[in-house]
Amino acid sequence: MIKETTIQSLLYLIVFAPLAGAILNGLFPRMLSRRAVSVIGVGLPFVSFGATLLALWGFLGLRAANPEFPFVTAELFQWIVSGPIHVDFALYLDPLSLVMTLIVTGIGSLIHLYSVGYMHDDASYARYFSHLNLFLFSMLLLVLGRSLLLLFVGWEGVGLCSYLLIGFWFDDMAKAVAGKKAFLVNRIGDFGFLIALFFLVFHLGGTLDIPDLREVVANPTSIFRTDTAMVTLVTLMLFVGATGKSAQIPLYVWLPDAMAGPTPVSALIHAATMVTAGVYMIARLNFLFVLSPVTMAIVATVGAATAIFAASIGLVQNDIKKVLAYSTVSQLGYMVLAVGVGAFGAGVFHLMTHAFFKACLFLGAGSVIHAMAGEQDIQKMGGLRRKMPITHATFLVSTLAIAGVPLLSGFFSKDEILFKVLALQPAAGPVVPGLNGLWFAMGIGAALMTALYMFRLYFLTFSGELRSHDAHPHESPATMTIPLIVLAVGAAVAGYIGLPHPRLNVLEHWLHPVFADGAAALVNTGSHALEYGLMGVSTVVAFLGIGLAWAMYRGPWREVPGRLHASLGGMYRTLWNKYYVDEAYDAVIVRPLIAGSRWIHRWIDAALIDGIGVNGPARVLAFVGGAARRLACGDVQAYAAALAIGLAILVIFVL
Amino acid sequence: MTAIPLSHWLVLATALFAIGAIGVITRRNLLIALMSLEVMLNGVALAFLAFARFRGDVSVHAAVFIVMAVAAAEVAVGLALAIAMWRHNGSVDLDRAARLKG
Amino acid sequence: MAEQIVFYVLAVGTVLGALAVIMPPFARNPLHAAVALLATFSLLAGLFVMLSAHLLAILQILVYAGAVMVLFIFVIMLLNLRRQDFGEFRATPWKILGGVAAFLVAVRVAMVAGASVANSTAADLGTPALQSFGGAYDVGWALTTRFFLPFEATSILLLVAIIGALVVARREGGAR
């Protein structure tokens, strides 16, 4: 039995162990051997993971003693005390953050281990692990921060680490630019988040502490219940932050470019953890979001649109990592759709299963790229099944999971979302009638495309014959395959903690105290019959997608992709160019911004500030000095005359 | 009993002070300027002594005595400066001692 | 009456002497200026006597007409100044204004100070207290009692002036 005070100590260990790794590897890279760097960089995340497991055990004990046990909080120090604003540097472990911490430290540790093999020959080995540990620290701060402000610190921290790691090979200009793009696009979202915090502080009572906020909101007479417009504004601004971090329309554009970073980074940051921060934040603030049905509808619509939009782009991409990137955007769309309709538990469930299979897919892709000596074009791959049996097996399991094949994790989580999309309605009635049906249709469409593009990827990569002749693929070392196996097992079985039965859905029960307020604002109109019926539908859809992929890339319809390409050239090009979104942003936002900045530089900076503000006083002083200079003629007698004149003036006035 | 009224003494003292001041300000030669300075000091001394006489206060004489001593010291230093300036510039012309020009 | 005649003669002589110091006809030659200054000092000593300042009259002769004038003449001789070394007046408007200002200051100060001496007639030296007015005894008493500190400070000043003059006039580059 672990006591509550012990859990508090464990919380510090969980958060600060990766920070220690970041500091050691970041500040003393030359004093540490490669082996020491690996031990520190991988060992400390595992320490963090171990502490999380202990904390889980302790929390389970507390829950067993008291089924309504809410949370453990550990306050390190008072951070900001200013008027009505009171922010503690406090950590906060509740069922939701515990689940997230398990995902972050568990998958994070595996990916650290994988990195030992993947980054083995890199010159900046210590810098890599220092950044990756720093990311883990920031992410844990984001997850465990008790105050929204502390969450925001983590939010910014993961953004910084994302930037640093995307541009890890910064001597390649394209990669440096990709890092910059990720950072700037994220800043737009962060700005929305920050505005939301300001509104919370100055218009909605001032507390940023999440449990306090929940208590305030629960009061039926609080301003949150009366000022719906303000609540809608705040939640929308928070959602803007989420679109930046979780790569939703319109701010998703950074994530595909983020694939410039090392592949383990893509797996950890840009698939499993950081990009889920927006979903986590909405789930964390579910009690606030459900107060505004309008915001919820917008969140769900954006999520559904992102899911189908990104999936359609994924259909035609040829870069193995780009396909997975668009797949990630699409799956994030599912999660956002889930929290948008109020299925917070389902969203977190899918977040968790996705973390397993997508991390596994990315690490598998990394293994493939490693084996192909840096080649990322799937048109040049093929036949890797025999050369890389472990990678192939794990990749196949994860692909089946993401495609929604029954009894694997993705099937359960995706299905729960689709069911909840149809079933859940705001208690006050739908914002727009029929919207749920539209979302469901988009979700099913995205599911079909997911199965299709994932198996296209799988067939082109692993089956058939190798299409490149100068590559000599080989299986990766154990440090890379062990994480793959563990993650593949996770991808296969993680779904069983959320089985679609009221008694068997462990995760739902576990998270219930967190989402109780949110769930109270919604009504469940679905039945179990509907749920099981939908399972059948999505099974059919999954196999339909897989079958289509097989037929077009392995089976009798092999000439179909080429014919489609020829007859639907315009549409194909649009997809290939990702709907020209980057070009549109470039024309509508980036270029006018650059032109405006040039103008401001020319007229405000150079002319006004430098010309008048800085050089102006200097010129005036030079002029006055030039005039006054004549007084200092060096003639002592003139000085004596001045003395006499001054004395005369004094005498006239005084005597 | 002096029959000369105070005002006469003061007019004389003022005249000496003013002549000295004009000399100090206008003459280009350092030696002449120093001489003019002595004239100014003497004007002041004269005014002091007149006041002493009319007030019957002999302690003013002590002040004039000290002024004289200071004047002697000033002349010594001033002439030393004149010598140094001569060595440096080859003249004692104040126009050429305009190093303070800004 | 005789006293007034003496006063005017001395006064006019003093002013003429002072003007001769600064005016070009005399002041072209520095020795002439020095002689004019000597005359001024001497005539002033006479005026000091008329004010019963006997000790100071004697000191005027000793210090000014004696020591100071010797110094001036010695420096003029030493530097071997010729006529052309003595520039003309250089009366810029600014300097004329300065001269006028100095004059006005003197007039105004004299007026105010004169008005403060309520009794415009001289003190009666016949009273026992003023029997030795202006003599060495009275002045010496004042210097060694009431003005003791300034007196001693003056001696230090003279010492400093001697050393300063030596340092300033010394040949550049230290020891010969």
Side-chain angles (χ1 to χ4, degrees):
Chain A
M1 183 72 202
I2 294 178
K3 284 182 294 197
E4 197 172 334
T5 47
T6 316
I7 298 180
Q8 288 172 342
S9 313
L10 286 170
L11 277 177
Y12 296 136
L13 187 61
I14 291 168
V15 172
F16 290 109
L19 180 65
I23 291 170
L24 283 173
N25 277 336
L27 297 186
F28 312 108
R30 278 162 215 281
M31 292 165 65
L32 299 169
S33 67
R34 224 156 236 258
R35 179 176 289 273
V37 168
S38 314
V39 170
I40 292 169
V42 179
L44 287 170
F46 270 104
V47 167
S48 191
F49 180 50
T52 312
L53 288 177
L54 283 176
L56 170 67
W57 185 28
F59 207 91
L60 282 168
L62 292 169
R63 274 289 279 268
N66 170 14
E68 292 302 307
F69 184 80
F71 53 80
V72 179
T73 179
E75 186 184 326
L76 196 57
F77 55 85
Q78 287 193 338
W79 182 24
I80 299 172
V81 180
S82 168
I85 306 165
H86 183 108
V87 179
D88 290 337
F89 194 101
L91 303 174
Y92 171 73
L93 189 74
D94 71 346
L96 175 60
S97 51
L98 187 52
V99 169
M100 279 300 282
T101 310
L102 278 168
I103 297 170
V104 171
T105 56
I107 294 182
S109 302
L110 288 175
I111 291 172
H112 276 76
L113 180 61
Y114 177 93
S115 300
V116 173
Y118 191 82
M119 299 299 284
H120 191 259
D121 303 322
D122 200 272
S124 303
Y125 194 66
R127 178 163 63 91
Y128 175 81
F129 275 102
S130 142
H131 289 347
L132 212 57
N133 283 355
L134 187 64
F135 166 77
L136 215 53
F137 163 71
S138 306
M139 191 67 205
L140 288 167
L141 207 58
L142 190 162
V143 170
L144 291 168
R146 185 188 155 113
S147 162
L148 276 175
L149 203 59
L150 202 56
L151 191 152
F152 186 67
V153 171
W155 187 276
E156 292 291 315
V158 294
L160 169 70
C161 295
S162 163
Y163 161 76
L164 289 171
L165 285 163
I166 294 169
F168 182 74
W169 291 305
F170 52 79
D171 41 7
D172 179 342
M173 193 62 191
K175 291 176 176 170
V177 167
K180 194 170 72 179
K181 180 174 177 183
F183 195 73
L184 288 178
V185 174
N186 264 299
R187 293 302 310 163
I188 298 170
D190 297 348
F191 187 59
F193 197 124
L194 208 52
I195 288 175
L197 294 191
F198 286 139
F199 275 121
L200 271 177
V201 169
F202 294 110
H203 289 282
L204 290 172
T207 183
L208 292 174
D209 189 90
I210 293 167
D212 287 1
L213 197 62
R214 187 172 172 183
E215 262 176 49
V216 173
V217 171
N219 181 355
T221 56
S222 77
I223 185 169
F224 289 93
R225 302 275 175 169
T226 52
D227 194 350
T228 315
M230 183 55 75
V231 170
T232 302
L233 183 65
V234 165
T235 47
L236 273 180
M237 283 296 150
L238 286 169
F239 180 58
V240 168
T243 57
K245 202 57 83 192
S246 288
Q248 297 298 294
I249 293 172
L251 297 179
Y252 72 92
V253 289
W254 65 271
L255 186 57
D257 287 18
M259 297 303 129
T263 305
V265 170
S266 307
L268 177 61
I269 302 184
H270 305 121
T273 55
M274 184 189 88
V275 288
T276 62
V279 178
Y280 169 75
M281 186 266 290
I282 296 174
R284 156 71 64 234
L285 295 176
N286 63 85
F287 53 86
L288 190 60
F289 273 81
V290 292
L291 293 184
S292 173
V294 176
T295 305
M296 291 291 276
I298 292 173
V299 171
T301 308
V302 168
T306 307
I308 194 160
F309 178 82
S312 69
I313 299 176
L315 286 174
V316 301
Q317 297 300 312
N318 277 334
D319 182 323
I320 184 168
K321 287 181 74 179
K322 282 276 162 70
V323 176
L324 292 176
Y326 281 105
S327 162
T328 304
V329 175
S330 171
Q331 298 298 313
L332 287 166
Y334 271 112
M335 297 174 211
V336 171
L337 171 64
V339 294
V341 297
F344 303 105
V348 172
F349 185 28
H350 193 60
L351 188 163
M352 189 195 77
T353 57
H354 174 256
F356 279 109
F357 58 66
K358 190 52 68 63
C360 184
L361 286 171
F362 263 115
L363 296 188
S367 180
V368 167
I369 294 165
H370 198 67
M372 299 286 294
E375 183 57 62
Q376 299 194 9
D377 189 344
I378 50 177
Q379 301 287 0
K380 295 183 179 161
M381 297 176 186
L384 294 179
R385 188 176 51 173
R386 285 179 303 280
K387 307 275 171 100
M388 309 176 68
I390 300 175
T391 305
H392 163 257
T394 55
F395 201 93
L396 178 60
V397 170
S398 300
T399 310
L400 288 168
I402 193 176
V405 170
L407 306 181
L408 295 174
S409 62
F411 170 74
F412 295 112
S413 57
K414 196 183 290 187
D415 219 52
E416 190 175 343
I417 291 175
L418 290 174
F419 165 64
K420 293 273 172 77
V421 165
L422 272 187
L424 286 180
Q425 297 278 358
V431 180
V432 181
L435 214 47
N436 288 54
L438 179 66
W439 295 333
F440 177 78
M442 289 163 104
I444 285 285
L448 176 66
M449 288 192 208
T450 305
L452 184 54
Y453 68 69
M454 279 315 296
F455 271 90
R456 167 178 177 265
L457 178 66
Y458 168 77
F459 287 131
L460 285 177
T461 308
F462 287 100
S463 62
E465 293 302 323
L466 188 60
R467 287 180 287 277
S468 167
H469 298 291
D470 30 283
H472 304 285
H474 53 86
E475 186 57 279
S476 298
T479 51
M480 287 165 75
T481 51
I482 290 169
L484 279 175
I485 294 166
V486 176
L487 287 170
V489 171
V493 304
Y496 291 94
I497 64 167
L499 289 176
H501 186 278
R503 291 244 221 86
L504 296 178
N505 198 331
V506 181
L507 190 70
E508 187 99 12
H509 278 289
W510 175 255
L511 293 174
H512 180 261
V514 183
F515 299 137
D517 290 359
L522 301 156
V523 286
N524 191 339
T525 60
S527 63
H528 286 296
L530 176 67
E531 185 162 10
Y532 297 135
L534 284 178
M535 285 174 91
V537 171
S538 60
T539 306
V540 169
V541 164
F543 281 113
L544 185 64
I546 295 169
L548 267 176
W550 180 81
M552 290 202 289
Y553 295 97
R554 290 292 299 152
W557 296 352
R558 267 190 232 188
E559 67 281 14
V560 169
R563 247 188 275 151
L564 278 177
H565 188 170
S567 56
L568 295 172
M571 192 180 155
Y572 181 83
R573 266 198 304 281
T574 310
L575 284 180
W576 173 247
N577 288 307
K578 309 144 198 164
Y579 295 98
Y580 300 101
V581 170
D582 279 333
E583 286 75 7
Y585 281 1
D586 193 50
V588 176
I589 297 171
V590 177
R591 273 165 211 272
L593 259 180
I594 288 175
S597 302
R598 286 231 171 86
W599 188 88
I600 288 174
H601 168 255
R602 171 112 175 67
W603 293 108
I604 306 291
D605 229 54
L608 190 70
I609 294 175
D610 289 355
I612 295 174
V614 177
N615 291 336
R619 287 211 190 94
V620 169
L621 281 178
F623 176 77
V624 172
R629 183 173 168 272
R630 293 171 191 214
L631 288 175
C633 55
D635 182 348
V636 283
Q637 290 175 313
Y639 298 163
L643 193 79
I645 292 165
L647 188 62
I649 293 167
L650 202 66
V651 161
I652 287 165
F653 283 107
V654 176
L655 279 181
Chain B
M1 282 295 109
T2 174
I4 316 298
L6 180 61
S7 57
H8 285 51
W9 294 104
L10 291 183
V11 167
L12 179 59
T14 305
L16 286 175
F17 182 86
I19 290 168
I22 290 164
V24 167
I25 292 174
T26 56
R27 293 312 310 261
R28 286 169 59 191
N29 187 293
L30 178 58
L31 289 173
I32 304 286
L34 281 173
M35 289 181 197
S36 306
L37 209 58
E38 295 308 313
V39 173
M40 285 172 78
L41 281 167
N42 273 291
V44 173
L46 182 64
F48 269 41
L49 290 175
F51 286 130
R53 178 70 186 81
F54 278 76
R55 289 175 60 93
D57 183 356
V58 82
S59 62
V60 178
H61 287 209
V64 175
F65 175 87
I66 290 167
V67 167
M68 245 179 222
V70 171
E74 169 246 311
V75 165
V77 175
L79 289 173
L81 282 170
I83 291 171
M85 189 174 157
W86 176 266
R87 286 225 182 94
H88 196 77
N89 285 343
S91 93
V92 288
D93 190 338
L94 282 173
D95 276 7
R96 297 178 61 176
R99 287 257 183 118
L100 287 174
K101 190 175 174 89
Chain C
M1 193 60 198
E3 206 181 342
Q4 271 140 325
I5 293 170
V6 173
F7 173 77
Y8 286 121
V9 168
L10 289 176
V12 169
T14 311
V15 171
L16 286 177
L19 284 173
V21 173
I22 67 162
M23 289 302 243
F26 293 89
R28 284 263 168 72
N29 188 331
L31 268 179
H32 291 176
V35 170
L37 188 64
L38 179 61
T40 310
F41 286 158
S42 307
L43 293 171
L44 263 175
L47 286 166
F48 287 2
V49 172
M50 287 186 72
L51 288 167
S52 303
H54 309 295
L55 176 66
L56 287 172
I58 290 165
L59 285 176
Q60 173 84 358
I61 300 291
L62 283 177
V63 175
Y64 277 115
V68 170
M69 283 320 299
V70 167
L71 262 178
F72 268 112
I73 291 167
F74 187 77
V75 169
I76 292 165
M77 298 295 195
L78 179 72
L79 299 183
N80 195 17
L81 295 175
R82 286 181 302 253
R83 282 175 66 128
Q84 60 265 39
D85 295 322
F86 286 77
E88 302 289 332
F89 267 113
R90 221 182 33 130
T92 61
W94 178 250
K95 286 182 179 173
I96 292 169
L97 188 64
V100 171
F103 178 70
L104 287 175
V105 168
V107 169
R108 183 73 188 134
V109 170
M111 277 167 63
V112 172
S116 74
V117 180
N119 184 2
S120 98
T121 55
D124 184 3
L125 296 185
T127 54
L130 298 178
Q131 283 281 315
S132 58
F133 182 85
Y137 181 82
D138 273 13
V139 177
W141 184 261
L143 274 175
T144 49
T145 55
R146 198 173 151 199
F147 292 98
F148 186 67
L149 190 62
F151 182 64
E152 288 301 325
T154 309
S155 66
I156 294 172
L157 177 76
L158 283 170
L159 180 65
V160 171
I162 290 166
I163 296 169
L166 273 172
V167 170
V168 170
R170 204 174 46 147
R171 206 176 284 276
E172 274 175 67
R176 273 165 283 176

